[in-house]
Coordinates of all heavy atoms in Angstrom, one line a residue:
M22 N 57.4 284.4 -26.8 CA 58.6 283.6 -26.9 C 58.2 282.1 -27.2 O 57.1 281.7 -26.8 CB 59.3 283.7 -25.5 CG 60.7 283.2 -25.5 SD 61.5 283.7 -24.0 CE 63.1 283.2 -24.4
K23 N 59.1 281.5 -27.9 CA 58.8 280.1 -28.3 C 59.0 279.1 -27.1 O 59.9 279.2 -26.4 CB 59.6 279.7 -29.5 CG 59.4 280.5 -30.7 CD 59.5 279.7 -32.0 CE 59.3 280.6 -33.2 NZ 58.0 281.1 -33.5
C24 N 58.0 278.2 -27.0 CA 58.1 277.2 -25.9 C 59.3 276.3 -26.1 O 59.6 275.8 -27.2 CB 56.8 276.4 -26.0 SG 56.7 275.1 -24.7
I25 N 59.9 276.0 -25.0 CA 61.0 275.0 -25.0 C 60.7 273.8 -24.1 O 61.6 273.0 -23.8 CB 62.4 275.7 -24.6 CG1 62.3 276.3 -23.3 CG2 62.8 276.7 -25.7 CD1 63.6 276.7 -22.6
T26 N 59.5 273.7 -23.6 CA 59.2 272.6 -22.7 C 58.3 271.6 -23.4 O 58.9 270.7 -24.1 CB 58.4 273.1 -21.4 OG1 57.3 273.8 -21.8 CG2 59.3 274.0 -20.6
I27 N 57.0 271.7 -23.4 CA 56.1 270.7 -24.0 C 55.8 271.0 -25.5 O 56.0 270.2 -26.3 CB 54.9 270.5 -23.2 CG1 55.2 269.8 -21.8 CG2 53.8 269.7 -23.9 CD1 54.1 269.6 -20.9
K28 N 55.3 272.2 -25.7 CA 54.9 272.6 -27.1 C 56.0 273.3 -27.8 O 56.0 274.4 -28.2 CB 53.7 273.5 -27.0 CG 52.4 272.9 -26.3 CD 51.3 273.9 -26.4 CE 50.3 273.7 -25.3 NZ 49.4 274.8 -25.2
K29 N 57.1 272.5 -28.0 CA 58.3 273.1 -28.5 C 58.1 273.8 -29.9 O 57.5 273.3 -30.8 CB 59.4 272.0 -28.7 CG 59.9 271.5 -27.4 CD 61.0 270.5 -27.6 CE 61.6 270.0 -26.3 NZ 60.7 269.2 -25.5
G30 N 58.5 275.1 -29.9 CA 58.4 275.9 -31.1 C 57.1 276.7 -31.2 O 57.0 277.5 -32.1
V31 N 56.2 276.5 -30.3 CA 54.9 277.2 -30.4 C 55.1 278.5 -29.6 O 55.6 278.5 -28.5 CB 53.8 276.4 -29.7 CG1 52.5 277.2 -29.6 CG2 53.5 275.1 -30.6
D32 N 54.7 279.7 -30.2 CA 54.7 280.9 -29.5 C 53.8 280.9 -28.3 O 52.7 280.5 -28.4 CB 54.3 282.1 -30.4 CG 55.5 282.7 -31.2 OD1 56.6 282.8 -30.5 OD2 55.4 282.9 -32.4
C33 N 54.3 281.3 -27.1 CA 53.5 281.3 -25.9 C 53.8 282.5 -25.0 O 55.0 282.8 -24.8 CB 53.9 280.0 -25.2 SG 52.9 279.8 -23.7
A34 N 52.8 283.1 -24.5 CA 52.9 284.3 -23.6 C 53.5 283.9 -22.3 O 54.0 284.8 -21.6 CB 51.6 284.9 -23.4
F35 N 53.4 282.6 -21.9 CA 53.9 282.2 -20.6 C 55.4 281.9 -20.6 O 56.0 281.7 -19.6 CB 53.1 281.0 -20.1 CG 51.7 281.4 -19.8 CD1 50.7 281.0 -20.6 CD2 51.4 282.1 -18.6 CE1 49.4 281.3 -20.4 CE2 50.1 282.4 -18.3 CZ 49.1 282.0 -19.2
M36 N 56.0 281.7 -21.8 CA 57.4 281.3 -21.9 C 58.3 282.6 -21.6 O 58.0 283.6 -22.2 CB 57.7 280.7 -23.2 CG 59.1 280.1 -23.4 SD 59.6 278.9 -22.1 CE 58.4 277.6 -22.3
S37 N 59.3 282.4 -20.8 CA 60.2 283.5 -20.6 C 61.7 282.9 -20.6 O 61.8 281.7 -20.8 CB 60.0 284.1 -19.2 OG 60.4 283.2 -18.2
S38 N 62.6 283.8 -20.5 CA 64.0 283.3 -20.6 C 64.3 282.4 -19.4 O 65.3 281.6 -19.4 CB 65.0 284.5 -20.6 OG 64.7 285.4 -19.5
N39 N 63.5 282.4 -18.3 CA 63.7 281.5 -17.2 C 62.9 280.3 -17.3 O 62.7 279.5 -16.4 CB 63.3 282.3 -15.9 CG 64.2 283.4 -15.6 OD1 65.4 283.4 -15.9 ND2 63.6 284.5 -15.0
G40 N 62.2 280.0 -18.5 CA 61.4 278.9 -18.7 C 59.9 279.2 -18.6 O 59.5 280.4 -18.6
C41 N 59.1 278.2 -18.5 CA 57.6 278.4 -18.5 C 57.2 279.0 -17.2 O 57.5 278.5 -16.1 CB 56.9 277.0 -18.7 SG 55.1 277.1 -18.7
S42 N 56.5 280.1 -17.2 CA 56.0 280.8 -16.0 C 54.6 280.4 -15.6 O 54.0 280.9 -14.7 CB 56.1 282.3 -16.2 OG 55.2 282.7 -17.3
Y43 N 54.0 279.4 -16.4 CA 52.6 279.0 -16.0 C 52.7 278.2 -14.8 O 53.7 277.6 -14.4 CB 52.0 278.2 -17.2 CG 50.5 278.1 -17.0 CD1 49.6 279.2 -17.1 CD2 49.9 276.8 -16.6 CE1 48.3 279.1 -16.8 CE2 48.6 276.7 -16.3 CZ 47.8 277.8 -16.5 OH 46.4 277.7 -16.2
D44 N 51.6 278.1 -14.1 CA 51.4 277.3 -12.8 C 51.9 275.9 -13.0 O 51.3 275.2 -13.8 CB 50.0 277.4 -12.4 CG 49.7 276.7 -11.0 OD1 50.7 276.7 -10.2 OD2 48.6 276.2 -10.8
G45 N 52.9 275.5 -12.3 CA 53.5 274.2 -12.5 C 54.6 274.1 -13.5 O 55.3 273.0 -13.6
G46 N 54.8 275.2 -14.2 CA 55.9 275.2 -15.1 C 55.8 274.4 -16.4 O 56.7 274.2 -17.2
E47 N 54.5 274.1 -16.8 CA 54.3 273.4 -18.0 C 52.8 273.4 -18.3 O 51.9 273.7 -17.5 CB 54.8 272.0 -18.1 CG 54.2 271.1 -17.0 CD 54.8 269.7 -17.0 OE1 56.0 269.5 -17.3 OE2 54.0 268.7 -16.8
C48 N 52.4 273.0 -19.6 CA 51.0 272.9 -20.0 C 50.4 271.6 -19.4 O 51.1 270.6 -19.2 CB 50.9 272.9 -21.5 SG 51.3 274.4 -22.2
Y49 N 49.1 271.6 -19.4 CA 48.3 270.4 -18.9 C 47.6 269.8 -20.1 O 47.2 270.5 -21.0 CB 47.3 270.7 -17.9 CG 48.0 271.2 -16.6 CD1 48.2 272.6 -16.4 CD2 48.5 270.4 -15.6 CE1 48.9 273.1 -15.3 CE2 49.2 270.8 -14.5 CZ 49.4 272.2 -14.3 OH 50.0 272.6 -13.2
P50 N 47.5 268.4 -20.2 CA 46.8 267.8 -21.3 C 45.3 268.2 -21.4 O 44.7 268.7 -20.4 CB 46.9 266.3 -21.0 CG 48.0 266.2 -20.0 CD 48.0 267.5 -19.2
I51 N 44.7 268.0 -22.5 CA 43.3 268.3 -22.7 C 42.4 267.5 -21.8 O 42.8 266.5 -21.3 CB 42.8 268.2 -24.2 CG1 42.9 266.7 -24.6 CG2 43.6 269.1 -25.1 CD1 42.1 266.4 -25.8
V52 N 41.1 267.9 -21.7 CA 40.1 267.1 -20.9 C 39.1 266.6 -21.9 O 39.1 266.9 -23.1 CB 39.4 268.0 -19.9 CG1 40.4 268.5 -18.8 CG2 38.8 269.2 -20.5
E53 N 38.2 265.7 -21.5 CA 37.3 265.0 -22.4 C 36.5 266.0 -23.2 O 36.2 265.8 -24.3 CB 36.4 264.1 -21.5 CG 35.6 263.1 -22.3 CD 34.8 262.2 -21.4 OE1 35.2 261.9 -20.3 OE2 33.7 261.8 -21.9
K54 N 36.1 267.1 -22.6 CA 35.2 268.1 -23.2 C 35.9 268.7 -24.4 O 35.3 269.3 -25.3 CB 34.8 269.2 -22.3 CG 33.8 268.6 -21.2 CD 33.5 269.7 -20.2 CE 32.5 269.2 -19.2 NZ 32.3 270.2 -18.1
C55 N 37.2 268.7 -24.5 CA 38.0 269.3 -25.6 C 37.9 268.4 -26.9 O 38.3 268.9 -27.9 CB 39.5 269.4 -25.2 SG 39.8 270.5 -23.8
E56 N 37.6 267.1 -26.7 CA 37.6 266.2 -27.9 C 36.7 266.7 -29.0 O 35.5 267.0 -28.8 CB 37.2 264.8 -27.5 CG 38.3 264.2 -26.6 CD 38.0 262.8 -26.0 OE1 37.0 262.3 -26.5 OE2 38.7 262.4 -25.2
G57 N 37.3 266.9 -30.2 CA 36.6 267.4 -31.3 C 37.0 268.8 -31.7 O 36.7 269.3 -32.7
C58 N 37.7 269.5 -30.7 CA 38.1 270.9 -31.0 C 39.3 270.9 -31.9 O 40.2 270.0 -31.9 CB 38.5 271.5 -29.6 SG 39.1 273.2 -29.8
Q59 N 39.3 271.8 -32.8 CA 40.4 271.9 -33.8 C 41.7 272.5 -33.2 O 42.7 272.5 -33.9 CB 39.9 272.8 -35.0 CG 38.8 272.1 -35.8 CD 38.4 272.9 -37.0 OE1 38.6 274.0 -37.1 NE2 37.7 272.2 -37.9
R60 N 41.6 273.0 -32.0 CA 42.9 273.5 -31.4 C 43.7 272.4 -30.7 O 44.7 272.7 -30.1 CB 42.5 274.6 -30.4 CG 41.8 275.8 -31.1 CD 41.6 276.9 -30.1 NE 40.6 277.8 -30.6 CZ 40.9 278.9 -31.3 NH1 42.1 279.2 -31.6 NH2 39.9 279.7 -31.7
V61 N 43.2 271.2 -30.7 CA 43.9 270.1 -30.1 C 45.1 269.7 -30.9 O 45.0 269.6 -32.2 CB 42.9 268.9 -29.9 CG1 43.7 267.6 -29.6 CG2 41.9 269.2 -28.9
R62 N 46.2 269.5 -30.3 CA 47.4 269.1 -31.0 C 48.2 268.1 -30.1 O 48.2 268.2 -28.9 CB 48.4 270.2 -31.3 CG 48.2 270.8 -32.7 CD 49.1 271.9 -33.0 NE 50.5 271.4 -33.3 CZ 51.5 272.2 -33.4 NH1 51.3 273.5 -33.4 NH2 52.7 271.7 -33.7
E63 N 48.9 267.2 -30.8 CA 49.7 266.2 -30.1 C 51.2 266.7 -30.0 O 51.7 267.1 -31.0 CB 49.7 264.9 -30.8 CG 50.4 263.8 -30.1 CD 50.3 262.4 -30.7 OE1 49.3 262.2 -31.5 OE2 51.2 261.6 -30.6
F64 N 51.7 266.6 -28.8 CA 53.1 266.9 -28.6 C 53.7 265.8 -27.8 O 53.3 265.5 -26.7 CB 53.3 268.2 -27.8 CG 52.8 269.4 -28.5 CD1 51.5 269.9 -28.4 CD2 53.7 270.2 -29.4 CE1 51.0 271.0 -29.1 CE2 53.2 271.3 -30.0 CZ 51.9 271.7 -29.9
E65 N 54.7 265.2 -28.3 CA 55.4 264.1 -27.7 C 54.5 263.0 -27.1 O 54.6 262.6 -25.9 CB 56.3 264.6 -26.6 CG 57.4 265.5 -27.2 CD 58.4 266.1 -26.1 OE1 58.2 265.9 -25.0 OE2 59.3 266.9 -26.6
G66 N 53.5 262.6 -27.9 CA 52.6 261.5 -27.5 C 51.5 261.9 -26.6 O 50.6 261.0 -26.3
K67 N 51.4 263.1 -26.2 CA 50.2 263.5 -25.3 C 49.5 264.6 -26.1 O 50.0 265.3 -26.9 CB 50.7 264.0 -24.0 CG 51.2 262.9 -23.1 CD 51.4 263.5 -21.7 CE 51.9 262.4 -20.7 NZ 52.2 263.0 -19.4
I68 N 48.2 264.8 -25.8 CA 47.3 265.7 -26.5 C 47.1 267.0 -25.6 O 46.7 266.9 -24.5 CB 45.9 265.1 -26.7 CG1 46.1 263.7 -27.3 CG2 45.1 266.0 -27.6 CD1 46.7 263.6 -28.7
Y69 N 47.4 268.1 -26.3 CA 47.4 269.4 -25.6 C 46.5 270.4 -26.4 O 46.3 270.2 -27.6 CB 48.8 270.0 -25.4 CG 49.6 269.2 -24.5 CD1 50.4 268.2 -24.9 CD2 49.6 269.5 -23.1 CE1 51.2 267.4 -24.1 CE2 50.4 268.7 -22.2 CZ 51.2 267.7 -22.7 OH 51.9 267.0 -21.8
C70 N 46.1 271.5 -25.8 CA 45.5 272.6 -26.5 C 46.5 273.5 -27.0 O 47.5 273.8 -26.3 CB 44.6 273.3 -25.5 SG 43.9 274.8 -26.2
N71 N 46.4 273.8 -28.3 CA 47.4 274.7 -28.9 C 47.3 276.2 -28.5 O 48.1 277.0 -28.7 CB 47.3 274.6 -30.4 CG 48.6 274.9 -31.1 OD1 49.7 274.6 -30.6 ND2 48.5 275.5 -32.3
S72 N 46.1 276.5 -27.8 CA 45.9 277.9 -27.5 C 45.9 278.2 -26.0 O 46.0 279.3 -25.6 CB 44.5 278.3 -28.0 OG 44.4 278.1 -29.3
Y73 N 45.8 277.2 -25.1 CA 45.6 277.4 -23.7 C 46.4 276.4 -22.9 O 46.3 275.2 -23.2 CB 44.2 277.5 -23.3 CG 43.9 278.1 -22.0 CD1 44.1 279.5 -21.8 CD2 43.6 277.4 -20.9 CE1 43.9 280.1 -20.6 CE2 43.4 278.0 -19.6 CZ 43.6 279.3 -19.5 OH 43.4 279.9 -18.3
P74 N 47.1 276.8 -21.8 CA 47.9 275.8 -21.1 C 47.2 274.9 -20.2 O 47.7 273.8 -19.9 CB 48.9 276.7 -20.3 CG 48.2 278.0 -20.2 CD 47.4 278.2 -21.4
D75 N 46.0 275.3 -19.8 CA 45.2 274.4 -18.8 C 43.8 274.2 -19.2 O 42.9 275.0 -18.8 CB 45.3 275.1 -17.4 CG 44.7 274.2 -16.3 OD1 44.3 273.1 -16.6 OD2 44.8 274.6 -15.1
P76 N 43.5 273.3 -20.1 CA 42.2 273.1 -20.7 C 41.1 272.9 -19.6 O 40.0 273.4 -19.7 CB 42.3 271.9 -21.6 CG 43.8 271.9 -22.0 CD 44.5 272.4 -20.8
A77 N 41.4 272.2 -18.5 CA 40.4 271.9 -17.5 C 39.9 273.2 -16.9 O 38.7 273.4 -16.7 CB 41.0 271.0 -16.4
A78 N 40.8 274.2 -16.8 CA 40.4 275.5 -16.2 C 39.5 276.3 -17.2 O 38.6 277.0 -16.7 CB 41.6 276.3 -15.9
K79 N 39.7 276.0 -18.5 CA 38.8 276.7 -19.5 C 37.4 276.2 -19.4 O 36.4 276.9 -19.8 CB 39.3 276.5 -20.9 CG 40.4 277.4 -21.3 CD 40.2 278.8 -21.1 CE 40.0 279.6 -22.3 NZ 39.8 281.1 -21.9
W80 N 37.1 275.0 -18.8 CA 35.8 274.5 -18.7 C 35.2 274.6 -17.3 O 34.1 274.2 -17.1 CB 35.8 273.0 -19.2 CG 36.0 272.8 -20.6 CD1 37.2 272.6 -21.3 CD2 35.0 272.8 -21.6 NE1 37.0 272.5 -22.6 CE2 35.7 272.6 -22.9 CE3 33.6 273.0 -21.6 CZ2 35.0 272.6 -24.1 CZ3 33.0 273.0 -22.9 CH2 33.7 272.7 -24.1
D81 N 36.0 275.2 -16.4 CA 35.5 275.3 -15.0 C 34.2 276.1 -14.9 O 33.4 275.8 -14.0 CB 36.6 275.9 -14.1 CG 37.5 274.8 -13.5 OD1 37.2 273.6 -13.8 OD2 38.5 275.2 -12.9
H82 N 34.1 277.1 -15.6 CA 33.0 278.1 -15.4 C 32.1 278.1 -16.7 O 31.8 279.1 -17.2 CB 33.5 279.5 -15.1 CG 34.4 279.5 -14.0 ND1 33.9 279.3 -12.7 CD2 35.7 279.6 -13.9 CE1 35.0 279.4 -11.9 NE2 36.1 279.6 -12.6
G83 N 31.7 276.9 -17.1 CA 30.9 276.8 -18.3 C 31.6 276.2 -19.5 O 32.4 275.2 -19.3
A84 N 31.5 276.8 -20.6 CA 32.2 276.3 -21.8 C 33.4 277.1 -22.2 O 33.5 278.3 -21.9 CB 31.2 276.3 -23.0
C85 N 34.4 276.4 -22.7 CA 35.6 277.1 -23.2 C 35.3 278.1 -24.3 O 34.6 277.7 -25.3 CB 36.6 276.0 -23.7 SG 38.1 276.8 -24.5
N86 N 35.7 279.3 -24.1 CA 35.4 280.3 -25.1 C 36.3 280.2 -26.4 O 36.1 280.9 -27.4 CB 35.5 281.7 -24.5 CG 36.9 282.0 -24.0 OD1 37.6 281.1 -23.5 ND2 37.3 283.3 -24.0
F87 N 37.3 279.4 -26.4 CA 38.1 279.2 -27.6 C 37.7 278.0 -28.4 O 38.2 277.7 -29.4 CB 39.6 279.0 -27.2 CG 40.3 280.1 -26.5 CD1 41.4 279.9 -25.7 CD2 39.9 281.4 -26.8 CE1 42.1 281.0 -25.2 CE2 40.5 282.5 -26.2 CZ 41.6 282.3 -25.4
A88 N 36.8 277.2 -27.9 CA 36.4 275.9 -28.5 C 35.9 276.1 -29.9 O 35.1 277.0 -30.1 CB 35.4 275.2 -27.6
T89 N 36.2 275.2 -30.8 CA 35.8 275.3 -32.2 C 34.7 274.3 -32.5 O 34.1 274.3 -33.5 CB 36.9 275.0 -33.2 OG1 37.4 273.7 -33.0 CG2 38.0 276.0 -33.0
H90 N 34.4 273.4 -31.5 CA 33.5 272.3 -31.8 C 32.2 272.4 -31.1 O 31.3 271.5 -31.2 CB 34.2 270.9 -31.4 CG 34.5 270.9 -29.9 ND1 35.2 271.8 -29.3 CD2 34.3 269.9 -29.0 CE1 35.4 271.5 -28.0 NE2 34.8 270.3 -27.8
I91 N 31.9 273.5 -30.3 CA 30.7 273.7 -29.7 C 30.2 275.1 -29.8 O 31.0 276.0 -30.2 CB 30.7 273.3 -28.2 CG1 31.9 274.1 -27.5 CG2 30.9 271.8 -27.9 CD1 31.4 275.2 -26.6
Q92 N 28.9 275.3 -29.6 CA 28.4 276.7 -29.6 C 27.8 276.9 -28.2 O 26.8 276.2 -27.9 CB 27.4 276.9 -30.7 CG 27.1 278.3 -31.0 CD 26.3 278.4 -32.3 OE1 25.6 277.5 -32.7 NE2 26.5 279.4 -33.0
A93 N 28.3 277.8 -27.4 CA 27.7 278.0 -26.1 C 26.9 279.3 -26.0 O 27.2 280.3 -26.6 CB 28.9 278.1 -25.1
T94 N 25.7 279.2 -25.4 CA 24.9 280.3 -25.2 C 24.5 280.3 -23.7 O 24.5 279.3 -23.0 CB 23.6 280.2 -26.1 OG1 23.0 278.9 -25.8 CG2 23.9 280.3 -27.5
V95 N 24.1 281.5 -23.3 CA 23.6 281.6 -21.9 C 22.1 281.9 -21.9 O 21.6 282.8 -22.6 CB 24.3 282.8 -21.2 CG1 23.8 283.0 -19.8 CG2 25.8 282.6 -21.2
D96 N 21.3 281.0 -21.2 CA 19.9 281.2 -21.2 C 19.5 282.3 -20.2 O 20.3 282.9 -19.5 CB 19.2 279.9 -20.9 CG 19.4 279.4 -19.5 OD1 19.9 280.1 -18.6 OD2 19.0 278.2 -19.3
K97 N 18.2 282.6 -20.1 CA 17.7 283.7 -19.2 C 18.0 283.5 -17.8 O 18.2 284.5 -17.1 CB 16.1 283.8 -19.4 CG 15.7 284.3 -20.7 CD 14.2 284.3 -20.8 CE 13.8 284.8 -22.2 NZ 12.4 284.6 -22.5
S98 N 18.2 282.3 -17.3 CA 18.5 282.0 -15.9 C 20.0 282.1 -15.6 O 20.5 282.0 -14.5 CB 18.0 280.7 -15.4 OG 18.7 279.6 -16.1
G99 N 20.8 282.4 -16.7 CA 22.3 282.5 -16.5 C 23.0 281.2 -16.7 O 24.2 281.1 -16.6
Q100 N 22.3 280.1 -17.0 CA 22.9 278.8 -17.2 C 23.5 278.7 -18.6 O 23.0 279.2 -19.6 CB 21.9 277.7 -17.2 CG 21.3 277.5 -15.8 CD 22.3 276.8 -14.8 OE1 23.0 275.9 -15.2 NE2 22.5 277.4 -13.6
V101 N 24.7 278.2 -18.7 CA 25.4 278.0 -20.0 C 24.9 276.8 -20.7 O 24.8 275.7 -20.1 CB 26.9 277.9 -19.8 CG1 27.6 277.6 -21.1 CG2 27.5 279.1 -19.2
K102 N 24.4 276.9 -21.9 CA 24.0 275.8 -22.7 C 25.0 275.6 -23.8 O 25.4 276.5 -24.5 CB 22.6 276.2 -23.4 CG 21.5 276.5 -22.4 CD 20.7 275.3 -22.1 CE 19.6 275.7 -21.2 NZ 19.0 274.5 -20.5
I103 N 25.4 274.3 -23.9 CA 26.4 273.9 -24.9 C 25.7 273.2 -26.1 O 25.0 272.2 -25.8 CB 27.5 273.1 -24.3 CG1 28.2 273.8 -23.2 CG2 28.5 272.6 -25.4 CD1 29.2 273.0 -22.4
N104 N 25.9 273.7 -27.3 CA 25.3 273.1 -28.4 C 26.4 272.5 -29.3 O 27.1 273.2 -29.9 CB 24.5 274.2 -29.2 CG 23.9 273.7 -30.4 OD1 23.9 272.5 -30.7 ND2 23.2 274.6 -31.2
P105 N 26.4 271.2 -29.4 CA 27.4 270.5 -30.2 C 27.0 270.4 -31.6 O 27.7 269.8 -32.4 CB 27.5 269.1 -29.6 CG 26.1 268.9 -29.0 CD 25.6 270.2 -28.6
L106 N 26.0 271.1 -32.0 CA 25.5 271.1 -33.4 C 26.6 271.4 -34.4 O 26.7 270.8 -35.5 CB 24.3 272.0 -33.6 CG 23.5 271.9 -34.8 CD1 22.9 270.5 -34.9 CD2 22.4 272.9 -34.9
K107 N 27.4 272.5 -34.1 CA 28.5 272.9 -35.0 C 29.4 271.7 -35.3 O 29.8 271.5 -36.5 CB 29.4 273.9 -34.3 CG 29.0 275.3 -34.6 CD 29.7 276.3 -33.7 CE 31.1 276.6 -34.0 NZ 31.8 277.6 -33.2
A108 N 29.7 270.9 -34.3 CA 30.6 269.7 -34.6 C 29.9 268.7 -35.5 O 30.6 268.2 -36.4 CB 30.9 269.1 -33.2
S109 N 28.6 268.4 -35.3 CA 28.0 267.4 -36.1 C 27.8 267.9 -37.6 O 28.0 267.2 -38.5 CB 26.7 267.0 -35.5 OG 25.8 268.1 -35.4
K110 N 27.6 269.2 -37.7 CA 27.5 269.8 -39.1 C 28.8 269.7 -39.8 O 28.9 269.4 -40.9 CB 27.1 271.3 -39.0 CG 25.6 271.5 -38.8 CD 25.3 273.0 -38.8 CE 23.9 273.2 -38.6 NZ 23.6 274.7 -38.5
R111 N 29.9 270.0 -39.0 CA 31.3 269.9 -39.6 C 31.6 268.5 -40.0 O 32.1 268.3 -41.1 CB 32.3 270.4 -38.5 CG 33.6 270.7 -39.1 CD 34.5 271.3 -38.1 NE 34.1 272.6 -37.6 CZ 33.9 273.0 -36.4 NH1 34.2 272.2 -35.4 NH2 33.5 274.2 -36.1
A112 N 31.2 267.5 -39.2 CA 31.4 266.1 -39.5 C 30.7 265.7 -40.7 O 31.2 265.0 -41.6 CB 31.1 265.2 -38.3
A113 N 29.4 266.2 -40.8 CA 28.6 265.9 -42.0 C 29.2 266.4 -43.3 O 29.1 265.8 -44.4 CB 27.2 266.4 -41.8
R114 N 29.9 267.5 -43.2 CA 30.6 268.1 -44.4 C 31.9 267.4 -44.7 O 32.6 267.7 -45.6 CB 30.8 269.6 -44.2 CG 29.5 270.4 -44.3 CD 29.9 271.9 -44.4 NE 30.7 272.3 -43.3 CZ 30.3 273.2 -42.3 NH1 29.1 273.7 -42.4 NH2 31.1 273.5 -41.3
G115 N 32.3 266.5 -43.8 CA 33.6 265.8 -44.0 C 34.8 266.5 -43.5 O 35.9 266.2 -44.0
R116 N 34.7 267.5 -42.6 CA 35.9 268.2 -42.1 C 36.3 267.6 -40.8 O 35.6 267.1 -40.0 CB 35.6 269.7 -42.0 CG 35.6 270.3 -43.4 CD 35.9 271.8 -43.3 NE 34.6 272.5 -43.0 CZ 34.6 273.7 -42.6 NH1 35.6 274.4 -42.3 NH2 33.4 274.3 -42.4
Ligands
LIG211 S1 40.3 275.7 -27.2 FE1 39.2 275.0 -25.4 S2 38.1 273.2 -26.0 FE2 39.6 273.6 -27.6 S3 41.3 272.3 -26.9 FE3 41.7 274.3 -26.0 S4 40.8 274.3 -24.0 FE4 40.0 272.5 -25.1

């Protein structure tokens, strides 16, 4: 169903005929780690993720799996390693 709260017109699984069913009843702005991601969009003067309602939660347990600006890998000890190389390569190509 299309959002009628913050991301007006965007299809969203949390939108229902009773309004937004996500925790708090609306989306949350992006966090610093989201900067550079291609899923970032501005709605009414604030910056949100076009794919997920709570960007901070996506980074709580390592790296966001939807992010387009980083490459995350898990090392042998189970630690998540974030490689921003993708972003710098993209910037070098002028995108
Ligand atoms: S996809 Fe992940 S990294 Fe990109 S804006 Fe959304 S929450 Fe942030």
Side-chain angles (χ1 to χ4, degrees):
M22 193 167 189
K23 296 217 185 290
C24 178
I25 57 166
T26 58
I27 290 177
K28 300 180 202 170
K29 290 183 177 69
V31 173
D32 268 320
C33 181
F35 294 102
M36 187 53 64
S37 72
S38 53
N39 295 327
C41 179
S42 63
Y43 193 71
D44 186 26
E47 61 182 34
C48 291
Y49 297 94
I51 63 162
V52 294
E53 193 177 331
K54 291 174 182 171
C55 297
E56 287 173 13
C58 180
Q59 292 181 341
R60 297 183 199 272
V61 166
R62 262 184 76 186
E63 186 177 331
F64 294 91
E65 298 180 359
K67 287 188 179 175
I68 312 295
Y69 294 90
C70 172
N71 206 34
S72 302
Y73 196 71
D75 189 358
K79 278 309 245 183
W80 289 94
D81 270 356
H82 305 288
C85 172
N86 60 330
F87 293 157
T89 62
H90 61 310
I91 53 108
Q92 194 166 32
T94 53
V95 179
D96 68 13
K97 288 178 184 169
S98 65
Q100 292 288 314
V101 175
K102 301 265 182 198
I103 298 172
N104 181 2
L106 194 61
K107 266 169 78 178
S109 59
K110 280 182 181 173
R111 194 174 295 129
R114 286 193 303 249
R116 287 201 275 164

